[in-house]
Amino acid sequence: DPVSGDVILRTVTPSERIEWETTFGVDTKLTKRLSGGAKFGVSLIDEKDAALSSSFIYSLNATYQPLKNTSFTFGAERNFSVAEGGGTEGTYNLNFGARHAVNDLTSLGFNVAYSLSPQTGPDESELLISPSISYKPAKDWDTTLSYEFSSEDEDGETTVENAVILKVSYGKTLLK
């Protein structure tokens, strides 16, 4: 779809915080093998015992498909809000992904994402690396096994996490 939009409503610990986010995007095929897009949106957070806050989101992405069964994705996002004393605060995100379809049922993937939040004190950053393998056992079913390595630097301290994730999903197209 060349134009897309999302509306997301989340509640965190009932009645503690409500998040509302809406984004709109445009994607277009630039050449036979290259497509790109842009997205912008706004996020509102209503936190108990705090003022309503908002942030703005904009991003650019590109997908390059040099071969029929191999693709690379690149993305950059900026999420920011106006700080109390003026100026802006927020997060910069960069990501890279690669996907190769081994056959009609199996594909291999690799993703790297980096996030930087400049602060008045030490900057906060996070690195996520995730290889994966996906298998389609039946028409409407998908399975993905992935490993995630995460390194987060916050307040001068580094936290490292490792996870193995098995995702099983079922999706049925209702309207064509």
Side-chain angles (χ1 to χ4, degrees), residues 19-31:
E19 298 177 16
W20 178 78
E21 178 180 306
T22 184
T23 57
F24 297 95
V26 176
D27 289 302
T28 186
K29 193 163 188 135
L30 302 171
T31 67

Side-chain angles (χ1 to χ4, degrees), residues 105 135-139 141-143:
L105 303 176
Y135 178 70
K136 190 170 185 62
K139 181 182 174 190
W141 290 88
D142 286 303
T143 59

Side-chain angles (χ1 to χ4, degrees), residues 33 64-68 70-72:
R33 297 181 180 176
Y64 178 63
Q65 190 169 358
L67 304 169
K68 181 181 176 182
T70 303
S71 64
F72 300 96

